[in-house]
Amino acid sequence: MIKKIAILLPYKENYTIDNAGAASIWVKDYLKYSKLKSKTIVYGNINSGSKPLTKNFKNLKIESTLFSKNINYTNQLYKDYLKKKFSIIEIHNRPESLIFLLKKKISSKLIFVFHNNPKEMRGSTSVKERIFLAENTDHIYFVSNWVKKKFFEGLPYSNKNNCETLYPSIDEPKKFNNKKQKLIIFSGKLNSSKGFDIFGKTIEKILNEFKDWKAIAIGNEPREKFN
């Protein structure tokens, strides 16, 4: 019998109505239809006064410490686990948090969700680290087949029964706008991990050939610059 479920967001993830991140929207959309929503607590770190996306949110305060902020943040969840004894803990996009809880040998089932390239995250960059995660986590989900493929690169196997792709949720449109414009939209983080570099090269060829079409890119990315 499932008693309680904890969902741990990345500590920098903004789980707010006005400025929600991709992982936050992923969680919110799945919770919308979850039969276990009343048993689920979403843990994150948002500014005081901010309104969370859902009512079942609990803010974790990061204490001043010599340890990394992410480990400190995960330890706050662990303290709540000792009180509530969650049946399931679902961790998003921070392998370090998963490793921390695995080493604590907690009784909860551990689910992990990769939203980005695993090979570029602390705790899953090396083959050894990814094998450890694959063989010790109850279930691992990937938001795309590309993310899943990156996880298994270099591993002695190309798949495991506890690893599968789970795409972001979307509501089925009740009606479709027939007054379509000749417009292509890219919406998301404007960086190479989201494929914006590929979009840029491709859209240039399309617009050169089809002169009556237009394109718009919507998003932000302070770390990478594109022409």
Side-chain angles (χ1 to χ4, degrees), residues 84-96:
K84 295 182 171 67
K85 300 295 182 183
F86 303 111
S87 298
I88 299 170
I89 297 178
E90 176 183 304
I91 305 149
H92 285 260
N93 227 34
R94 289 295 182 271
E96 278 188 321

Side-chain angles (χ1 to χ4, degrees), residues 29-42:
D29 287 344
Y30 272 102
L31 278 176
K32 185 177 180 180
Y33 299 103
S34 173
K35 294 179 180 179
L36 301 172
K37 181 166 55 179
S38 62
K39 296 184 176 183
T40 303
I41 303 171
V42 180

Side-chain angles (χ1 to χ4, degrees), residues 109-209:
K109 296 287 186 181
L110 290 173
I111 296 173
F112 191 84
V113 183
F114 276 107
H115 293 261
N116 298 98
N117 187 350
K119 296 171 70 175
E120 296 179 356
M121 297 183 189
R122 285 196 302 270
S124 62
T125 55
S126 70
V127 168
K128 183 179 179 180
E129 287 172 331
R130 297 199 301 279
I131 289 175
F132 174 79
L133 296 180
E135 296 185 353
N136 290 279
T137 309
D138 292 285
H139 216 95
I140 299 176
Y141 290 107
F142 308 90
V143 299
S144 71
N145 283 330
W146 182 87
V147 174
K148 183 180 179 183
K149 180 182 176 182
K150 287 294 180 182
F151 181 85
F152 283 100
E153 281 184 0
L155 270 63
Y157 35 78
S158 59
N159 197 12
K160 276 184 71 67
N161 290 336
N162 64 329
C163 298
E164 58 183 309
T165 302
L166 184 62
Y167 293 106
S169 169
I170 186 170
D171 288 323
E172 183 179 354
K174 294 181 180 179
K175 61 180 181 178
F176 193 79
N177 182 12
N178 291 319
K179 297 179 180 179
K180 294 181 288 184
Q181 300 180 43
K182 294 183 177 181
L183 178 66
I184 300 170
I185 298 174
F186 180 100
S187 178
K189 288 285 185 182
L190 307 182
N191 61 35
S192 54
S193 69
K194 299 298 183 184
F196 182 65
D197 55 332
I198 298 172
F199 172 81
K201 295 173 184 176
T202 305
I203 201 66
E204 186 178 4
K205 295 177 182 178
I206 293 172
L207 297 180
N208 283 337
E209 182 175 349

